[in-house]
Amino acid sequence: MLFDAVVCPGGMGGVQNLIESPIVGKILKNHQVSGMVVSAICAAPMCLAAHKVGEGRTVTCYPALKKTIEDYGHFKNVTTGNDVEIDGNFLTSRGPGTAMKFAVQLVALLRGQSIADKLANDLLLN
């Protein structure tokens, strides 16, 4: 089953459940192979690394988890200074305070930059 995008939410308890789910792993891998949007916010890049999705990509994450995610040795680069990282069809964001930027960039990937710009303007993000 494919969706336009898979969005992995943050929060350690939920992320641990995503990591432990073989179904989530299968969905993520199918989306990666199909070139669909794969995204994760806050702690959720750990889920991508654990399921070996997005290898060689640049991601961002919740700053306190940077070392943990780097220890997977899966991503090319793990940043914490950028609120949002886009690497091809992969979108990641740092945490709750960056959720609106994350959402607008998700819209850009799915519907185009002009629609995302209008949304950001309507939400008073510009």
Side-chain angles (χ1 to χ4, degrees):
M1 176 181 287
L2 288 176
F3 307 97
D4 292 336
V6 174
V7 180
C8 298
M12 286 304 296
V15 168
Q16 191 59 43
N17 291 332
L18 296 175
I19 288 170
E20 294 171 5
S21 171
I23 294 169
V24 169
K26 184 176 181 179
I27 290 170
L28 289 169
K29 288 175 184 173
N30 285 342
H31 280 71
Q32 174 179 261
V33 168
S34 299
M36 306 303 283
V37 174
V38 175
S39 61
I41 188 169
C42 197
M46 288 192 320
C47 171
L48 302 180
H51 288 293
K52 300 187 182 348
V53 173
E55 184 173 9
R57 306 275 182 156
T58 294
V59 300
T60 191
C61 63
Y62 192 78
L65 298 173
K66 182 177 192 250
K67 172 106 172 69
T68 301
I69 292 172
E70 286 175 335
D71 286 348
Y72 277 95
H74 183 72
F75 298 117
K76 175 177 76 177
N77 189 21
V78 181
T79 73
T80 55
N82 297 331
D83 288 345
V84 175
E85 286 286 353
I86 301 169
D87 189 340
N89 60 321
F90 279 73
L91 170 68
T92 53
S93 191
R94 293 176 61 207
T98 64
M100 293 298 273
K101 290 179 183 178
F102 176 74
V104 169
Q105 289 305 312
L106 185 58
V107 169
L109 287 171
L110 294 171
R111 299 292 311 272
Q113 192 61 51
S114 64
I115 291 174
D117 290 344
K118 181 180 181 332
L119 175 62
N121 188 54
D122 291 348
L123 292 172
L124 306 177
L125 293 176
N126 295 333

